[in-house]
Amino acid sequence: MPKTKALAANAGKESPARKRAKPAVRSASAVNRRLRQIEDKRSAILGAALGLFSRFGLHGTSIDQVAARADVSKSNLLYYFANKEELYVNVLRDLLALWLEPLRGFSAEQDPAQAIGDYIRRKLVVSRDRPDASRLFCLEMIQGAPLLRDELDRELRTLVEKKSEVIRAWIDAGKLAPVDPHHLIFALWAMTQHYADFGVQVQALAGRTLEDEGFFEQTVENVQRIVLQGIVPR
């Protein structure tokens, strides 16, 4: 066949190399889509588990209840998490990461009043937006942290020690009044998480919750004032 005719005959055809390349592209797209589906399903299960664990605890919640709330089959749930205890620990680890994130931002280069004031606001945002997370973490602590103790002894202790050094640096520079860093951090946790852990009591006494924008800003302002007026040199 003349060369021109061969070219014309093959004009509408793809080369074997191009044909082989297409499935690879489709495969990569399919893999990414599958990974997103897996992550979405895992997130749905963790969210459903958090809602139930924060109300009924580990022993008061069943795998069937979590599966029903997440709208997945029990076998599908157990594909992602081998048992209820593994699911519970994963929920707690996610909560610990969420809970500690505002503290990670502390650095000696920051103005301490600004850093601590911002920390108070961010912690109150978590208490407002994720009260179930705070309540579950509180419940685990009350029970002696049987499934989270190793995490506390490692990640939490390490982070708190690092940020305690930052607070000591502020004190040494004369930017903060002398205060034990651990007790300052404990006080910040107690004051901000109270609005989530004891939300029912707050509403009964104040008539409002952090979901009320005005009350939220009032809470931020008052907690900041109480803390900062006690530790910022005048």
Side-chain angles (χ1 to χ4, degrees), residues 14-29:
E14 294 182 301
S15 69
R18 290 186 63 187
K19 286 183 177 181
R20 287 194 299 271
K22 277 195 171 183
V25 173
R26 286 196 296 268
S27 177
S29 176

Side-chain angles (χ1 to χ4, degrees), residues 101-123:
E101 184 56 34
L103 187 59
R104 297 185 191 280
F106 273 24
S107 68
E109 293 73 27
Q110 292 177 297
D111 173 69
Q114 182 65 43
I116 293 171
D118 182 61
Y119 178 75
I120 289 169
R121 175 175 289 277
R122 292 181 67 188
K123 285 290 277 109

Side-chain angles (χ1 to χ4, degrees), residues 175-193:
K175 297 178 180 179
L176 282 186
V179 60
D180 182 276
H182 288 92
H183 291 299
L184 174 58
I185 292 171
F186 295 159
L188 292 172
W189 289 347
M191 295 179 76
T192 54
Q193 288 165 230

Side-chain angles (χ1 to χ4, degrees), residues 81-95:
F81 303 98
N83 51 53
K84 185 171 67 171
E85 286 71 22
E86 181 181 316
L87 173 59
Y88 184 74
V89 169
N90 274 271
V91 170
L92 289 174
R93 284 174 177 161
D94 281 0
L95 296 189

Side-chain angles (χ1 to χ4, degrees), residues 188-219:
L188 292 172
W189 289 347
M191 295 179 76
T192 54
Q193 288 165 230
H194 174 86
Y195 292 89
D197 301 340
F198 292 87
V200 173
Q201 176 179 274
V202 170
Q203 185 171 24
L205 298 178
R208 294 186 288 174
T209 70
L210 294 183
E211 293 182 358
D212 180 309
E213 184 177 352
F215 184 69
F216 174 80
E217 291 299 332
Q218 183 186 88
T219 301

